[in-house]
Amino acid sequence: MAVNSILAFAVIASVFYLRSILRAKFGGQVKAPVVGSRSPWEPYLLTRLRFTKNALHAINEGYTKFKDSRFKMLRNDTDVLVLSNKYIDELRSLPESTLSPLQAHVDALLGKYTKVDILLGSNLHTRMLQSRLTPNLTSFLPIVRNELLFGMKADFPACKGKESFLIMIAVTNGLSFWTEAWVAVNVTNVMLRLVARISARIFVGPLCRNEEWLTVSVNYSLDIFRTVLFMRLFPPFLHPILSLVIPDAWQVRRDMRLARRLITPLVEERTKAQSLGDASYEKPNDLLQWMMDGANESESKPDKLAHRQLLLTLASIHTTTMSVTHALYDLAAMPEYIQPLRAEIEQILKEDGDWQKNGLTKMRKLDSFLKESQRMNPPSLIAFNRVVQKPITLSDGTYLPKGTHFGMASVPLVFDEDLVDKPHTFDGFRYYRKRLETGESHRHQFATTDANSLHFGHGKYACPGRFLASNEIKTLLAHVLMEYDLKFLPGQSRPPNQSVNEYIFPDPAGQLLFKERVTEAPSS
């Protein structure tokens, strides 16, 4: 009997010990309710795995129950504390030495294994974006537009809006018959190429026409995300081994070697040209040159410049492409917006005489449509991500110890009926109307942020490239609208979004039908 009691006790103790391991938390010092579990007894191992495909349900559950306080979401790589946006004003201006957005970004991308952690050593790219690029964005419109026009000819399939067939009939003049020529286009693939081209023109100048650079700038982000998403399926203690055996991780390293091979000669060539002291030499006007000029001795090494250029593509090309793709899907789903958007663009071109530097800022309806498209199709469920570098205590007494990874529920915010009128209805000119109100003309723009619109972050460390992204997206969409008609394939509708972990993507296999617009039929 005593033996049986001992065995029973041992079994019960073992169960509780195993449960404690399976329910272990990472950085679990902050007490907060955990969302996403199906029962109090569910091992956190299962909750973490479920986050991969069920993050939206979990964050909506947490926001519904705890939107004015805090809750915790469990990923396989870390715990994420989700705070109410009521704390935004006291957090948004704290220095990086206290709250680090960069550390949060690097951790999310498993930077130790994907080599994204180079960002922690220097903020060179941020300095150059903020001091050199953003203040001069309008001056880049002509060259960006020229590269876009080149890319549309090179990357868009031939889809003439009308095909003319001349039929000669005895003793009569020729007659012209017209047939429509709609062409199915994979939206994501084509937009990726176009965004890669125009981004490269700003980032690396002449390499924008180099096929190897265009390919690696597109593939690098895909290789990084595939590596991260696969590794997140496993607990952190396995990551060192996985990073050595995953084919996508191998490809990330090959991408970096190729980038060094392409960028290093360019850096050396420019350095040599500058050292010769030729008064006729003009420095190229691109981000690579600005980085060379603004770098310290460590930052200026060619291999580091090449690595940072790849990381710029990671931060810009795919996120911009997703916004464009979502907008095109939305236009095809709601074609009633196409005519008023075209009318706005045509009016601005007429007033300015052509594509002028400040024309994009006048496209307020297009800006509003993009912001609404982003509201309905956000890039991530969580924004304003930070890692606590020094312990802090919030105004209500909430204590955040060092190492806490926190963010805010950006998606539930924009669907909160207390904050947004009819939040589940797509209203493409919602923000256009808001800007017509007294004192609101400079607010509610695609690239602006506030406490309830966090997709680009907010405050001192909001996304430094958001103004570039806004200009690229508007330029691209305006040209597509002016040059093409578009619609879904017969029997199809807007492809549903896809989600993995906290990330949301447009369907990469989605297609639309395009044909070139014919505003005036030629004479027969």
Short mmCIF file of all heavy atoms in Angstrom, two decimals, residues 142-155 194 197-198 209 355 475 479 483-484:
data_model
loop_
_atom_site.label_atom_id
_atom_site.label_comp_id
_atom_site.label_asym_id
_atom_site.label_seq_id
_atom_site.Cartn_x
_atom_site.Cartn_y
_atom_site.Cartn_z
N PRO A 142 11.35 62.59 -60.66
CA PRO A 142 11.64 62.37 -62.08
C PRO A 142 12.43 61.10 -62.36
O PRO A 142 12.09 60.35 -63.29
CB PRO A 142 12.45 63.63 -62.46
CG PRO A 142 12.03 64.66 -61.47
CD PRO A 142 11.80 63.91 -60.19
N ILE A 143 13.46 60.82 -61.56
CA ILE A 143 14.25 59.63 -61.85
C ILE A 143 13.51 58.35 -61.45
O ILE A 143 13.65 57.31 -62.10
CB ILE A 143 15.64 59.69 -61.17
CG1 ILE A 143 15.52 59.78 -59.65
CG2 ILE A 143 16.46 60.85 -61.70
CD1 ILE A 143 16.86 59.71 -58.94
N VAL A 144 12.71 58.43 -60.38
CA VAL A 144 11.90 57.27 -60.00
C VAL A 144 10.87 56.98 -61.09
O VAL A 144 10.65 55.82 -61.47
CB VAL A 144 11.21 57.52 -58.64
CG1 VAL A 144 10.10 56.49 -58.41
CG2 VAL A 144 12.22 57.45 -57.51
N ARG A 145 10.26 58.03 -61.61
CA ARG A 145 9.27 57.85 -62.66
C ARG A 145 9.90 57.28 -63.93
O ARG A 145 9.33 56.39 -64.58
CB ARG A 145 8.59 59.18 -62.98
CG ARG A 145 7.51 59.06 -64.05
CD ARG A 145 6.67 60.31 -64.18
NE ARG A 145 5.69 60.11 -65.23
CZ ARG A 145 5.84 60.49 -66.50
NH1 ARG A 145 6.95 61.12 -66.87
NH2 ARG A 145 4.90 60.25 -67.38
N ASN A 146 11.08 57.76 -64.28
CA ASN A 146 11.76 57.22 -65.46
C ASN A 146 12.06 55.73 -65.29
O ASN A 146 11.89 54.94 -66.23
CB ASN A 146 13.06 57.99 -65.73
CG ASN A 146 12.81 59.37 -66.29
OD1 ASN A 146 11.74 59.66 -66.81
ND2 ASN A 146 13.79 60.26 -66.15
N GLU A 147 12.48 55.35 -64.09
CA GLU A 147 12.78 53.93 -63.86
C GLU A 147 11.51 53.11 -63.85
O GLU A 147 11.49 51.96 -64.31
CB GLU A 147 13.53 53.77 -62.53
CG GLU A 147 14.25 52.44 -62.38
CD GLU A 147 15.27 52.20 -63.47
OE1 GLU A 147 15.90 53.16 -63.94
OE2 GLU A 147 15.42 51.02 -63.86
N LEU A 148 10.43 53.69 -63.33
CA LEU A 148 9.16 52.99 -63.34
C LEU A 148 8.66 52.76 -64.76
O LEU A 148 8.19 51.66 -65.10
CB LEU A 148 8.12 53.78 -62.54
CG LEU A 148 6.69 53.24 -62.55
CD1 LEU A 148 6.63 51.83 -61.98
CD2 LEU A 148 5.76 54.16 -61.77
N LEU A 149 8.76 53.76 -65.61
CA LEU A 149 8.32 53.61 -67.00
C LEU A 149 9.15 52.54 -67.71
O LEU A 149 8.62 51.74 -68.48
CB LEU A 149 8.43 54.95 -67.74
CG LEU A 149 7.48 56.05 -67.26
CD1 LEU A 149 7.76 57.35 -68.00
CD2 LEU A 149 6.03 55.63 -67.44
N PHE A 150 10.45 52.53 -67.44
CA PHE A 150 11.31 51.47 -68.00
C PHE A 150 10.86 50.10 -67.50
O PHE A 150 10.75 49.14 -68.27
CB PHE A 150 12.77 51.72 -67.61
CG PHE A 150 13.70 50.62 -68.02
CD1 PHE A 150 14.25 50.59 -69.29
CD2 PHE A 150 14.04 49.60 -67.13
CE1 PHE A 150 15.11 49.56 -69.67
CE2 PHE A 150 14.89 48.57 -67.49
CZ PHE A 150 15.43 48.55 -68.77
N GLY A 151 10.58 50.02 -66.20
CA GLY A 151 10.17 48.74 -65.63
C GLY A 151 8.82 48.26 -66.13
O GLY A 151 8.61 47.06 -66.34
N MET A 152 7.89 49.18 -66.34
CA MET A 152 6.57 48.78 -66.83
C MET A 152 6.67 48.19 -68.24
O MET A 152 5.95 47.24 -68.58
CB MET A 152 5.61 49.97 -66.79
CG MET A 152 5.24 50.40 -65.37
SD MET A 152 4.19 51.86 -65.25
CE MET A 152 2.60 51.18 -65.70
N LYS A 153 7.58 48.72 -69.03
CA LYS A 153 7.78 48.14 -70.37
C LYS A 153 8.49 46.79 -70.28
O LYS A 153 8.19 45.87 -71.05
CB LYS A 153 8.60 49.09 -71.23
CG LYS A 153 7.87 50.36 -71.64
CD LYS A 153 8.76 51.24 -72.50
CE LYS A 153 8.02 52.53 -72.91
NZ LYS A 153 8.89 53.42 -73.72
N ALA A 154 9.41 46.67 -69.32
CA ALA A 154 10.20 45.45 -69.21
C ALA A 154 9.49 44.32 -68.48
O ALA A 154 9.65 43.14 -68.83
CB ALA A 154 11.53 45.76 -68.51
N ASP A 155 8.69 44.66 -67.45
CA ASP A 155 8.15 43.64 -66.55
C ASP A 155 6.66 43.36 -66.73
O ASP A 155 6.19 42.28 -66.36
CB ASP A 155 8.40 44.05 -65.09
CG ASP A 155 9.88 44.20 -64.78
OD1 ASP A 155 10.67 43.39 -65.31
OD2 ASP A 155 10.25 45.11 -64.02
N LEU A 194 8.82 45.83 -60.03
CA LEU A 194 8.75 47.28 -60.20
C LEU A 194 9.25 48.03 -58.97
O LEU A 194 10.01 49.00 -59.07
CB LEU A 194 7.32 47.70 -60.53
CG LEU A 194 6.77 47.22 -61.88
CD1 LEU A 194 5.31 47.61 -62.03
CD2 LEU A 194 7.59 47.78 -63.04
N ARG A 197 12.99 47.77 -58.67
CA ARG A 197 13.68 48.67 -59.62
C ARG A 197 13.74 50.10 -59.10
O ARG A 197 14.81 50.72 -59.08
CB ARG A 197 12.96 48.65 -60.97
CG ARG A 197 13.18 47.42 -61.81
CD ARG A 197 12.52 47.59 -63.17
NE ARG A 197 12.58 46.39 -63.97
CZ ARG A 197 13.64 46.01 -64.69
NH1 ARG A 197 14.73 46.78 -64.69
NH2 ARG A 197 13.60 44.91 -65.40
N ILE A 198 12.59 50.63 -58.71
CA ILE A 198 12.59 52.05 -58.31
C ILE A 198 13.31 52.24 -56.98
O ILE A 198 13.94 53.28 -56.75
CB ILE A 198 11.16 52.63 -58.29
CG1 ILE A 198 10.25 51.89 -57.31
CG2 ILE A 198 10.55 52.59 -59.68
CD1 ILE A 198 8.83 52.47 -57.25
N ARG A 209 19.65 48.46 -62.83
CA ARG A 209 19.46 47.73 -64.08
C ARG A 209 20.21 46.39 -64.08
O ARG A 209 20.25 45.71 -65.10
CB ARG A 209 19.93 48.58 -65.27
CG ARG A 209 19.21 49.93 -65.41
CD ARG A 209 17.85 49.78 -66.00
NE ARG A 209 17.12 51.05 -66.03
CZ ARG A 209 17.11 51.88 -67.07
NH1 ARG A 209 17.80 51.58 -68.17
NH2 ARG A 209 16.41 53.01 -67.02
N TRP A 355 3.97 65.43 -64.66
CA TRP A 355 4.31 64.89 -63.35
C TRP A 355 5.32 65.81 -62.68
O TRP A 355 6.49 65.83 -63.04
CB TRP A 355 4.87 63.48 -63.49
CG TRP A 355 3.87 62.49 -63.99
CD1 TRP A 355 3.58 62.21 -65.29
CD2 TRP A 355 2.99 61.69 -63.20
NE1 TRP A 355 2.58 61.28 -65.37
CE2 TRP A 355 2.20 60.93 -64.09
CE3 TRP A 355 2.79 61.53 -61.83
CZ2 TRP A 355 1.24 60.03 -63.66
CZ3 TRP A 355 1.85 60.63 -61.40
CH2 TRP A 355 1.08 59.89 -62.31
N THR A 475 3.20 56.80 -56.73
CA THR A 475 3.72 56.90 -58.10
C THR A 475 3.35 55.67 -58.91
O THR A 475 2.88 55.77 -60.05
CB THR A 475 5.25 57.07 -58.08
OG1 THR A 475 5.59 58.23 -57.31
CG2 THR A 475 5.80 57.23 -59.49
N HIS A 479 0.39 55.54 -61.98
CA HIS A 479 0.73 55.15 -63.34
C HIS A 479 -0.07 53.95 -63.81
O HIS A 479 -0.50 53.89 -64.96
CB HIS A 479 2.23 54.89 -63.44
CG HIS A 479 3.05 56.13 -63.59
ND1 HIS A 479 3.34 56.96 -62.53
CD2 HIS A 479 3.60 56.71 -64.70
CE1 HIS A 479 4.07 57.99 -62.97
NE2 HIS A 479 4.23 57.87 -64.27
N GLU A 483 -2.58 53.99 -67.01
CA GLU A 483 -2.16 53.20 -68.18
C GLU A 483 -2.99 51.95 -68.42
O GLU A 483 -3.03 51.44 -69.54
CB GLU A 483 -0.69 52.79 -68.02
CG GLU A 483 0.30 53.95 -67.96
CD GLU A 483 0.37 54.71 -69.27
OE1 GLU A 483 0.18 54.08 -70.33
OE2 GLU A 483 0.60 55.94 -69.24
N TYR A 484 -3.68 51.44 -67.39
CA TYR A 484 -4.33 50.14 -67.52
C TYR A 484 -5.74 50.15 -66.94
O TYR A 484 -6.05 50.87 -65.99
CB TYR A 484 -3.53 49.05 -66.78
CG TYR A 484 -2.15 48.82 -67.34
CD1 TYR A 484 -1.05 49.46 -66.76
CD2 TYR A 484 -1.93 47.98 -68.43
CE1 TYR A 484 0.23 49.26 -67.26
CE2 TYR A 484 -0.66 47.77 -68.93
CZ TYR A 484 0.42 48.42 -68.34
OH TYR A 484 1.69 48.22 -68.84
#
